[in-house]
């Protein structure tokens, strides 16, 4: 991810895990007029900023989306996909080390504003609807990660 | 997804997409009269408004070309069909969330196989898509999928294969026996999206070696 | 009411070779009917964020053998906790948990088996099919002093592949190693094997 180095994670494993449950999960999201990962959150991100945004989004998915999903009565197929995604996200986050240097402050701020766009949209929804929508938008997140993954 | 449904009027509303040529298709139900008409709407995921697709309103056809309407690869889409029977019964059904990048399948490549005495050349031709780039030109598959590559196999008397692969367009299998038949198989592979095209197969015979005659 | 009366399985361990992971334990010997076992796993995420969550193994919940192929359950290169219990009718034992979490990056990578043949002047190689996670680095050279080594990545095993068109009267040698991207490791090189265009396969 830009200046962050991520090795040892094959994104196709994450894709397969999500594809296995994509239609089931997206069918649970019937608010078609709201998109959390809007174009202004993701595309046109600089390399440097991508590391900060990726770190923030992945942490949110680990701490909020996946965690709450585990507490729902989900079917076995979804639980297995959830586990693959969550454990690979933990691996990615452990390797994503956003730079803490001072001159990165402006980039960090810009990244944080992007993340807040996503988080605010998430909080405006009822928690169940928000969880289903965030999980259903994994393909948007993985598509974005692909782009940066290839620019290493 | 069912919005409102008179049972049996409308089935299997879904996209079929090849090289980003995206067609919405549906079936009439077991109880729908032959002169039932259908109207199509579509929208971008995250937008409120449904848009009517001109040319697919009150139609008896069971498909509708939404290629241009789903041409932004960073967006996801929904489409829905409303069936209206002469008796006034109606039903509306929506597709799953459609992602052109995810759903489109890859057509077999267009290849020219040229036999020589001890080699076979294989030239892969570019594959334009209906997707327009920022400059207004049609994008090729190679432009859209960054890790797309060609995989070429030459089957040698059914026992083993010669393999070549890469992103360039021209390949040559060398060191072959003259006046012998070979089967060339070319596929397009996109590892990121686990996509692989159906193969293009050419059966070709190397030329006889006339140097000693 | 299914309270733990059955003895729990002992001596859990994982044997992992070429990314095939096998969980084994000592069988519980009980008189009468057959004894079954249930296997569950928990990745690093579950153990850190939702420690109450254990996921049934896709192929061994239940099973009547004293081993379980957990390859399809281990889908990330992070530590996994594993546990097994005995079940019989409604009775269950306590869970036995693997002493140390298992990480697939500890798998033993063996050099791939390979067959080197020739067809006329074509040098042909067939590598062992080790599954989709494997690619192979193949190195081949003409057996003569100062010969240059050539390298080629072969994406799949199990298919005879043409390596090189050989010169008459020369001998060529081949060796290969297995590569696994998901754990960023590779095996040692296999023993080299050679063929001569007019001769038979020559052991080194």
């Amino acid at each position: 991810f830009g200046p962050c180095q991520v090795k040892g994670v094959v994104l196709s494993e994450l894709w397969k895990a999500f594809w296995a449950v994509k239609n089931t999960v997206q069918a649970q999201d019937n608010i078609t007029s709201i998109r959390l990962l809007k174009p202004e959150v993701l595309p046109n991100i600089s390399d440097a900023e991508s590391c900060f945004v990726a770190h923030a989004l992945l942490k949110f998915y680990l701490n909020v989306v996946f965690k709450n999903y585990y507490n729902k009565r989900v079917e076995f197929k979804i639980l297995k996909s959830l586990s693959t995604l969550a454990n690979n996200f933990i691996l990615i986050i452990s390797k994503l080390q956003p730079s803490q240097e001072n001159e990165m402050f402006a980039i960090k701020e810009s990244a944080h504003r992007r993340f807040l766009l996503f988080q605010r949209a998430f909080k405006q929804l009822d928690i169940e609807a928000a969880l289903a929508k965030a999980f259903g938008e994994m393909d948007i997140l993985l598509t974005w990660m692909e782009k940066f993954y290839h620019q290493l | 997804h069912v919005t409102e449904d008179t049972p049996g009027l409308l089935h299997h509303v879904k996209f079929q997409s090849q090289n980003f040529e995206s067609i919405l298709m549906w079936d009439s139900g077991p109880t729908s009269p032959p002169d039932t008409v259908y109207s199509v709407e579509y929208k971008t995921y995250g937008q409120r408004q449904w848009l009517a697709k001109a040319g697919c309103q009150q139609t008896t056809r069971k498909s509708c070309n939404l290629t241009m309407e789903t041409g932004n690869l960073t967006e996801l889409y929904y489409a829905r069909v409303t069936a209206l029977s002469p008796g006034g019964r109606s039903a509306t059904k929506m597709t799953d969330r459609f992602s052109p990048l995810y759903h489109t399948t890859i057509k077999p490549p267009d290849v020219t196989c040229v036999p020589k005495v001890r080699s076979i050349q294989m030239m892969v031709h570019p594959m334009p898509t209906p997707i327009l780039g920022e400059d207004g030109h049609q994008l090729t598959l190679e432009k859209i999928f960054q890790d797309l590559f060609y995989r070429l196999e030459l089957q040698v008397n059914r026992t083993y294969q010669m393999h070549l692969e890469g992103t360039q367009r021209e390949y040559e299998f060398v060191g072959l026996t003259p006046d012998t038949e070979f089967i060339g198989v070319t596929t397009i592979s996109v590892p990121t999206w686990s996509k692989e095209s159906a193969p293009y197969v050419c059966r070709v015979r190397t030329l006889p070696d006339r140097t000693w005659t | 009411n299914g309270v733990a009366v059955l003895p729990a399985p002992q001596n859990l361990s994982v044997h992992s070779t070429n990314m095939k992971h096998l969980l084994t334990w000592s069988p519980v010997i009980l008189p009468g009917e057959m004894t079954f076992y249930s296997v569950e796993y928990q990745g690093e995420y579950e153990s850190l964020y939702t420690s109450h969550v254990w996921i049934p193994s896709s192929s061994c919940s239940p099973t009547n053998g004293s081993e379980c192929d957990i390859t399809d359950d281990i889908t990330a290169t992070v530590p996994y906790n594993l546990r097994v219990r005995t079940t019989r009718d409604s009775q269950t034992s306590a869970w036995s948990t693997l002493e140390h979490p298992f990480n697939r990056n500890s798998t033993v990578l063996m050099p791939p088996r390979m067959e080197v043949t020739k067809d006329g002047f074509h040098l042909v190689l067939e590598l062992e099919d080790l599954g989709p996670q494997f690619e192979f680095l193949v190195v081949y050279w003409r057996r003569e002093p100062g010969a240059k080594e050539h390298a080629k990545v072969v994406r799949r095993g199990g298919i005879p592949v043409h390596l090189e068109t050989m010169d008459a009267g020369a001998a060529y040698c081949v060796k290969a190693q297995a590569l696994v991207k998901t754990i960023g490791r590779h095996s040692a090189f296999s023993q080299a094997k050679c063929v001569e265009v007019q001769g038979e396969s020559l052991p080194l």
Side-chain angles (χ1 to χ4, degrees):
Chain A
F1 290 90
C4 295
Q5 291 295 321
V6 176
K7 293 254 184 309
V9 176
V10 177
L11 278 185
S12 56
E13 279 194 328
L14 278 69
W15 273 113
K16 273 182 205 122
F18 179 69
W19 282 334
V21 295
K22 173 185 180 319
N23 285 342
T24 308
V25 169
Q26 287 181 350
Q28 293 164 359
D29 171 16
N30 38 41
I31 306 172
T32 61
S33 56
I34 292 175
R35 170 172 163 168
L36 299 179
L37 288 167
K38 297 182 172 63
E40 46 278 33
V41 173
L42 292 180
N44 310 324
I45 278 188
S46 68
D47 271 9
E49 205 175 335
S50 66
C51 191
F52 291 104
V53 177
H55 197 271
L57 283 172
L58 266 57
K59 238 172 110 174
F60 185 85
Y61 269 81
L62 289 172
N63 292 330
V64 178
V65 180
F66 294 153
K67 185 163 190 179
N68 281 284
Y69 239 94
Y70 268 101
N71 295 328
K72 288 154 64 90
R73 280 255 150 268
V74 292
E75 56 180 277
F76 178 64
K77 186 173 83 164
I78 292 184
L79 189 58
K80 278 191 69 65
S81 288
L82 202 51
S83 181
T84 299
L85 292 163
N87 282 290
N88 276 285
F89 269 31
I90 269 204
L91 187 61
I92 294 174
I93 260 206
S94 69
K95 295 171 183 262
L96 275 181
Q97 304 300 336
S99 153
Q100 300 309 326
E101 289 151 27
N102 291 336
E103 68 261 20
M104 294 294 269
F105 181 77
I107 288 174
K108 197 174 175 183
E109 276 304 294
S110 168
H112 189 57
R113 280 194 302 276
R114 287 179 186 270
F115 171 71
L116 288 181
L117 281 175
F118 164 81
Q119 191 180 44
R120 222 172 281 133
F122 183 93
K123 286 183 172 173
Q124 279 164 6
L125 296 175
D126 144 82
I127 184 67
E128 290 301 320
L131 290 172
K133 187 169 278 300
F135 195 7
E137 290 191 3
M138 281 290 296
D139 49 5
I140 299 174
L141 185 56
L142 291 174
T143 302
W144 173 64
M145 286 161 76
E146 281 294 357
K147 281 202 191 84
F148 285 97
Y149 214 77
H150 275 278
Q151 288 167 7
L152 283 182
Chain B
H1 284 267
V2 177
T3 313
E4 169 215 321
D5 184 19
T6 304
L9 211 50
L10 188 54
H11 281 305
H12 312 137
V13 178
K14 62 180 186 300
F15 277 97
Q16 283 201 353
S17 180
Q18 261 203 330
N19 288 16
F20 297 104
E21 186 87 26
S22 301
I23 313 295
L24 181 68
M25 311 188 80
W26 60 90
D27 293 328
S28 53
T31 65
S32 62
D35 39 8
T36 298
V37 291
Y38 306 94
S39 297
V40 171
E41 294 169 298
Y42 64 95
K43 79 171 190 173
T44 301
Y45 171 56
Q47 303 291 325
R48 284 188 187 287
Q49 207 181 355
W50 287 92
L51 304 170
K53 163 63 180 174
C56 299
Q57 299 303 308
Q58 309 279 316
T59 176
T60 55
R61 292 197 318 273
K62 296 196 185 67
S63 68
C64 174
N65 190 323
L66 288 175
T67 296
M68 298 327 290
E69 288 77 13
T70 57
N72 182 337
L73 297 185
T74 63
E75 297 289 359
L76 306 166
Y77 300 92
Y78 285 95
R80 66 183 181 189
V81 179
T82 299
L84 187 63
S85 74
R89 290 186 300 137
S90 81
T92 297
K93 280 194 175 155
M94 190 169 71
T95 62
D96 286 327
R97 192 177 302 168
F98 173 67
S99 158
L101 280 169
Y102 166 66
H103 283 102
T104 208
T105 57
I106 312 281
K107 290 180 186 172
D110 179 14
V111 182
T112 303
C113 303
V114 180
K116 307 223 170 136
V117 178
R118 292 184 181 285
S119 69
I120 292 173
Q121 265 187 333
M122 290 168 76
M123 284 165 285
V124 185
H125 303 293
M127 304 191 63
T129 72
I131 304 296
L132 302 180
E134 280 155 8
D135 58 5
H137 289 108
Q138 282 180 288
L139 294 178
T140 61
L141 285 176
E142 295 86 345
K143 259 286 191 246
I144 294 169
F145 294 118
Q146 295 178 7
D147 63 338
L148 179 149
F149 69 95
Y150 301 103
R151 180 176 292 141
L152 298 92
E153 293 162 8
L154 193 70
Q155 285 164 13
V156 186
N157 53 44
R158 286 184 220 293
T159 53
Y160 63 93
Q161 301 165 0
M162 299 175 80
H163 278 196
L164 291 172
E165 66 181 58
T167 54
Q168 72 270 26
R169 294 203 183 291
E170 295 199 5
Y171 302 84
E172 186 164 17
F173 291 102
V174 299
L176 305 180
T177 310
D179 197 15
T180 305
E181 185 172 86
F182 297 89
I183 296 174
V185 178
T186 308
T187 53
I188 296 174
S189 191
V190 184
T192 334
W193 293 87
S194 300
K195 290 182 192 291
E196 186 152 301
S197 72
Y200 174 89
V201 179
C202 63
R203 189 181 294 270
V204 66
R205 190 175 198 86
T206 47
L207 306 180
D209 184 356
R210 301 197 190 288
T211 48
W212 306 108
T213 50
Chain C
N1 58 7
V3 175
V5 288
L6 294 177
Q10 300 301 315
N11 307 318
L12 272 61
S13 70
V14 174
H15 308 274
S16 176
T17 304
N18 282 348
M19 294 298 270
K20 290 279 182 235
H21 322 307
L22 196 65
L23 172 67
T24 63
W25 56 87
S26 304
V28 171
I29 309 299
L30 292 171
E33 302 148 39
M34 187 178 288
T35 303
F36 287 89
Y37 306 92
S38 287
V39 176
E40 293 185 346
Y41 67 92
Q42 185 183 66
E44 185 176 20
Y45 179 80
E46 289 84 19
S47 59
L48 289 178
Y49 287 76
T50 56
S51 53
H52 62 289
V53 173
W54 287 81
I55 301 169
S57 163
S58 29
S59 35
C60 310
S61 275
T63 180
N64 57 11
S66 61
E67 62 180 42
C68 174
D69 183 345
I70 54 172
T71 303
D72 292 339
D73 299 323
I74 310 293
T75 52
T77 308
V78 295
Y80 277 77
N81 291 320
L82 294 150
R83 69 182 187 179
V84 188
R85 74 177 170 185
T86 315
T87 63
R88 182 186 262 190
D89 303 329
S90 65
Q91 291 178 302
T92 61
S93 73
W95 288 102
S96 284
T97 303
L98 187 67
E99 190 179 348
H100 303 295
F102 167 71
N103 190 322
R104 65 180 182 182
N105 62 13
S106 64
T107 193
V108 174
L109 289 179
M110 306 294 290
R113 286 198 304 271
M114 63 178 194
E115 201 181 324
V116 179
T117 55
K118 61 182 177 10
D119 174 37
F121 291 101
H122 284 186
L123 176 61
V124 178
L125 168 69
E126 181 166 356
L127 287 155
E128 178 183 6
D129 184 358
L130 293 174
Q133 304 211 42
F134 283 81
E135 287 183 346
F136 304 91
L137 178 65
V138 175
V139 173
Y140 55 96
W141 64 94
R142 180 174 162 140
R143 194 170 69 180
E144 59 186 14
K148 180 171 176 279
E149 285 190 344
H150 304 277
K152 184 180 264 193
V153 172
V154 174
R155 290 194 190 278
R156 289 179 301 204
I159 307 169
V161 169
H162 166 275
L163 272 188
E164 176 74 289
T165 301
M166 301 183 282
D167 298 329
Y172 287 76
C173 299
V174 184
K175 62 181 180 181
Q177 67 177 174
L179 314 171
V180 183
K181 270 194 275 188
T182 47
I183 59 173
R185 283 181 49 216
H186 57 75
S187 72
F189 271 104
S190 60
Q191 184 88 25
K193 287 187 175 176
C194 304
V195 290
E196 189 165 350
V197 179
Q198 271 85 27
E200 282 314 308
S201 176
L202 305 177
L204 254 188

